[in-house]
Amino acid sequence: MTDTEAPLQKPALRGAGIREVARQAGVSIATVSRVFNDAEAVSSDTRERVVALASSLGYEPSPLGRNLVRGRSYLIGLIVPNVSFPLYGAMIHGIEDVLGSHGMSVLLASSHDAAATEVRAAQNILRHAVDGGIVINSMVGLALPTQRQSGWVHVTPEPPGLPCRVELDNEEGGRLAAMELLRNRHRHFAYVGAKGRESADRERGFAEVLRDAGFDYRRFEGDYSEASGMQAGAALLDGPLDAVFAAGDLMAAGVMRALHMRGVQVPGQVAVVGFDDAAIASLLYPRLTSIRQPGYLMGAAAAQLSLNFIRGRPTEPVIFSPELVARESTGPPSA
Amino acid sequence: MTDTEAPLQKPALRGAGIREVARQAGVSIATVSRVFNDAEAVSSDTRERVVALASSLGYEPSPLGRNLVRGRSYLIGLIVPNVSFPLYGAMIHGIEDVLGSHGMSVLLASSHDAAATEVRAAQNILRHAVDGGIVINSMVGLALPTQRQSGWVHVTPEPPGLPCRVELDNEEGGRLAAMELLRNRHRHFAYVGAKGRESADRERGFAEVLRDAGFDYRRFEGDYSEASGMQAGAALLDGPLDAVFAAGDLMAAGVMRALHMRGVQVPGQVAVVGFDDAAIASLLYPRLTSIRQPGYLMGAAAAQLSLNFIRGRPTEPVIFSPELVARESTGPPSA
């Protein structure tokens, strides 16, 4: 863009009146500054005289200057892969609510699932002297740029061992999915997973419960997209199938579409369970049974960890339990 | 929360070394500050000596202080009703991309569709001395708190007359929907709308094209929710019906669910067109034909308007044209 070269118009300086306030009050500029930054070192007489004069002269202290004096920016950086992903929206909501109640604001940057963009986002955030930072599903983990003042709280399944993190018990999510499908007396199971630790953990829990009940399952590796779910649905119909657990709601939507297109009834002939409980889960037809990640609470916990970090308090990892949300896509097989 | 009372740990002062740098370099503190704020008033000898000393003493200039000197925060406030709504996600993406390419960052706050929350969000944003602000679908319009430094760019259909805004040609969207349905030789039309100027504009365009073709339509007022779309679908089936235009994708999803539940084929018996082209549109079964709002481009334009405002350049309203995205929910009636 050519206008990157145009100089930004310098806004009217807010502090322009500070000299005049100091002169008329007969005090130094530093004293006026102290009055507006709650320093106790100013006598109450002086304070009252300065405040009255400032008010009559229309002097407004600069917020940036105030933050500088306090050594704080009241900003928490937040790096999100993509604000549009519904689970992240819920997390952002929780983060904003907790930070807002402590007078802090969110400096947002999206990484768009690219490591280089994530690193640039972190550098950019650090330029604003944030008091702390939160990163959702980091691609670079401990290699994220940092500063003495600010630590990163990770909302993430990996890498393990991050000191300051919020995560979901994914194995438990897999167990919940298997129990829902066993409850409905299915016998021919399939797992639609993806690369990475989250899917591996979900599968481990799923496999454990099925094994204990004496069942095996077939597996298909997708990539969390609806298209890969459609491929999975088509491929799995080559064998006996009456119950599918997909590691993400989009893949579950794809599985259901593949079944619809072949005239297979859900849940009458094949039951489907998704994961995340994103907004789309309840909009699909039939409405999708899913394993809910408590996004709002996970965001709120991340914000609280960030505040604890700033205050020098303990920042133990917080592990959340998922929850089964049973809807129309699971049920007993039709006779 | 009880820990609101706990004092925030004061981070190590970055500027702690400035006195030492000044003393060893034999210059004033103000000179050291000028060196790190690109002032030209420092001789190159002095500049080199100060930079070398600062580096050897590990002195880091404070970003907040630098911003204060420049009179800019490099922050643009952004108020969004709800980050989870897919259209807003696309807008945020466009905003971030344009601002990021100009070295500016986004200070985010959600209004959750409540006027009081929106006003608090604006006050909070202004406390950070933002250079400008963008508000999506404002509930308070021109009554939003402002400051000399920052103006608000509105991405919004109302109130009309806002000086600095980005909006969609909603009437054109209604025309596109009517043309798509007429093309498929439907005869019994319905409009599912909602309160507000956006829906009224969409309906006006829809009605105009139908009238010119010699057709009337029935109408149902919903509230943009899926539930109200389901009510609409059920109610409209009481009369002859083969084509529905809903003012939002969620309402269209509800209409389709009501039709599915009654065994009505889409599009064979009833064609459905939604509005926004949110992510769910292409996940529904059948995939929903919708009128796309170019969210990314609208966000990018809002960011550009905000930069223009900061630079004192003209900030004419930018009106975007919607686009028909034809998918599986429209087509000719089955014989």
Side-chain angles (χ1 to χ4, degrees):
Chain A
M1 263 173 232
T2 57
D3 58 1
T4 48
E5 294 135 35
L8 283 159
Q9 189 189 43
K10 188 140 180 167
L13 275 177
R14 288 151 191 277
I18 193 168
R19 272 171 230 280
E20 193 56 24
V21 174
R23 199 184 60 77
Q24 292 200 28
V27 299
S28 71
I29 290 174
T31 300
V32 176
S33 172
R34 268 199 297 277
V35 165
F36 287 100
N37 291 297
D38 306 327
E40 315 251 305
V42 186
S43 72
S44 60
D45 276 8
T46 307
R47 194 159 55 224
E48 280 165 24
R49 194 167 74 249
V50 168
V51 168
L53 254 170
S55 162
S56 73
L57 294 172
Y59 165 71
E60 268 180 62
S62 152
L64 279 179
R66 188 157 45 204
N67 292 347
L68 180 64
V69 168
R70 292 186 187 155
R72 305 251 333 267
S73 65
Y74 299 93
L75 293 174
I76 297 287
L78 172 62
I79 304 179
V80 184
N82 176 352
V83 292
S84 299
F85 188 65
L87 177 65
Y88 302 154
M91 288 177 178
I92 294 172
H93 190 172
I95 289 167
E96 278 193 289
D97 279 0
V98 167
L99 293 182
S101 74
H102 289 73
M104 320 275 289
S105 294
V106 173
L107 190 63
L108 178 76
S110 302
S111 64
H112 303 298
D113 287 312
T117 312
E118 183 182 327
V119 168
R120 264 202 311 281
Q123 288 164 339
N124 192 23
I125 281 172
L126 293 173
R127 257 202 294 280
H128 288 280
V130 293
D131 295 334
I134 298 169
V135 56
I136 298 178
N137 278 10
S138 174
M139 300 192 73
V140 302
L142 290 168
L144 206 60
T146 186
Q147 274 185 344
R148 310 175 244 177
Q149 272 85 344
S150 56
W152 291 102
V153 173
H154 287 257
V155 182
T156 180
E158 50 196 328
L162 285 166
C164 197
R165 73 182 194 274
V166 172
E167 65 176 63
L168 186 78
D169 183 345
N170 283 296
E171 226 178 283
E172 174 66 12
R175 282 191 287 266
L176 290 173
M179 286 188 283
E180 167 69 5
L181 294 172
L182 283 173
R183 193 164 24 246
N184 287 307
R185 283 166 288 121
H186 297 295
R187 316 186 45 176
H188 303 289
F189 300 89
Y191 177 69
V192 181
K195 290 203 194 316
R197 189 180 142 205
E198 278 184 297
S199 174
D201 288 353
R202 290 166 196 176
E203 181 172 1
R204 194 174 318 110
F206 184 68
E208 174 197 307
V209 170
L210 288 186
R211 199 175 45 237
D212 289 354
F215 290 101
D216 198 0
Y217 65 97
R218 288 183 296 147
R219 62 196 309 283
F220 184 97
E221 188 168 304
D223 59 8
Y224 289 114
S225 72
E226 193 217 8
S228 69
M230 283 182 69
Q231 287 166 14
L236 291 167
L237 281 175
D238 281 353
L241 181 73
D242 55 19
V244 178
F245 170 41
D249 289 336
L250 282 181
M251 288 198 294
V255 168
M256 289 217 291
R257 184 179 303 279
L259 300 178
H260 285 321
M261 288 168 65
R262 287 160 183 80
V264 177
Q265 298 294 316
V266 177
Q269 293 173 268
V270 177
V272 180
V273 178
F275 205 102
D276 280 347
D277 195 32
I280 66 141
S282 62
L283 292 171
L284 294 173
Y285 185 82
R287 298 191 197 271
L288 179 67
T289 293
S290 191
I291 307 298
R292 177 177 290 168
Q293 296 213 43
Y296 179 89
L297 295 179
M298 291 170 76
Q304 191 57 57
L305 273 186
S306 189
L307 295 172
N308 288 356
F309 186 90
I310 294 168
R311 296 190 175 105
R313 293 190 182 176
T315 54
E316 292 295 310
V318 185
I319 318 291
F320 280 87
S321 295
E323 185 189 345
L324 172 77
V325 182
R327 296 201 183 88
E328 302 161 0
S329 68
T330 50
S334 48
Chain B
M1 263 173 231
T2 55
D3 59 359
T4 49
E5 294 134 34
L8 283 159
Q9 190 188 44
K10 188 140 183 170
L13 273 178
R14 286 149 190 279
I18 194 168
R19 271 170 231 279
E20 192 56 22
V21 174
R23 197 184 60 77
Q24 294 200 26
V27 300
S28 70
I29 290 173
T31 300
V32 177
S33 173
R34 269 199 297 276
V35 165
F36 287 101
N37 292 297
D38 305 326
E40 314 252 305
V42 186
S43 73
S44 59
D45 278 8
T46 305
R47 193 161 54 226
E48 281 165 24
R49 193 167 73 247
V50 167
V51 168
L53 254 171
S55 162
S56 73
L57 294 171
Y59 166 71
E60 267 180 62
S62 153
L64 279 178
R66 188 157 46 205
N67 291 349
L68 180 64
V69 167
R70 293 184 187 155
R72 304 246 339 266
S73 65
Y74 299 92
L75 293 175
I76 297 287
L78 172 62
I79 304 179
V80 183
N82 177 351
V83 290
S84 299
F85 188 64
L87 177 66
Y88 301 153
M91 289 177 177
I92 294 172
H93 190 172
I95 290 167
E96 279 192 289
D97 279 0
V98 169
L99 293 183
S101 73
H102 290 74
M104 319 274 292
S105 295
V106 173
L107 190 63
L108 177 76
S110 302
S111 64
H112 303 298
D113 287 312
T117 312
E118 183 182 328
V119 168
R120 262 202 311 280
Q123 288 164 339
N124 192 24
I125 281 171
L126 293 173
R127 255 202 294 280
H128 288 280
V130 293
D131 296 333
I134 298 169
V135 55
I136 298 179
N137 278 9
S138 174
M139 301 192 73
V140 303
L142 291 167
L144 206 60
T146 187
Q147 275 185 344
R148 312 174 242 178
Q149 272 86 341
S150 55
W152 291 101
V153 173
H154 287 256
V155 181
T156 178
E158 48 196 329
L162 286 167
C164 197
R165 71 181 195 276
V166 172
E167 66 176 59
L168 187 78
D169 184 345
N170 283 295
E171 225 177 285
E172 176 66 13
R175 283 191 287 267
L176 291 173
M179 286 186 285
E180 166 70 5
L181 294 172
L182 284 172
R183 192 164 27 244
N184 286 308
R185 285 166 286 122
H186 297 294
R187 316 185 46 177
H188 303 290
F189 301 89
Y191 176 69
V192 181
K195 290 204 195 316
R197 189 181 141 207
E198 278 184 298
S199 174
D201 288 354
R202 290 166 194 176
E203 181 171 2
R204 194 175 318 108
F206 183 68
E208 175 198 306
V209 170
L210 290 186
R211 199 175 44 238
D212 289 354
F215 291 101
D216 200 0
Y217 64 98
R218 290 182 295 146
R219 62 194 310 284
F220 184 97
E221 187 169 304
D223 58 7
Y224 289 113
S225 71
E226 192 218 8
S228 70
M230 283 182 70
Q231 287 166 15
L236 291 167
L237 282 175
D238 282 353
L241 180 73
D242 55 20
V244 178
F245 170 39
D249 289 336
L250 282 183
M251 289 198 294
V255 168
M256 288 217 292
R257 183 180 303 280
L259 300 177
H260 283 321
M261 288 169 65
R262 288 161 184 80
V264 177
Q265 298 293 316
V266 178
Q269 294 173 270
V270 176
V272 180
V273 177
F275 205 103
D276 280 347
D277 194 32
I280 66 141
S282 62
L283 291 172
L284 294 174
Y285 186 81
R287 299 189 197 272
L288 179 69
T289 292
S290 190
I291 307 298
R292 178 178 288 169
Q293 297 213 43
Y296 179 89
L297 294 178
M298 291 171 76
Q304 192 55 59
L305 273 186
S306 188
L307 294 172
N308 289 356
F309 185 91
I310 293 168
R311 296 190 175 104
R313 293 188 180 177
T315 53
E316 292 294 309
V318 184
I319 318 290
F320 280 87
S321 295
E323 184 190 346
L324 173 77
V325 181
R327 296 202 183 87
E328 303 161 0
S329 68
T330 50
S334 48

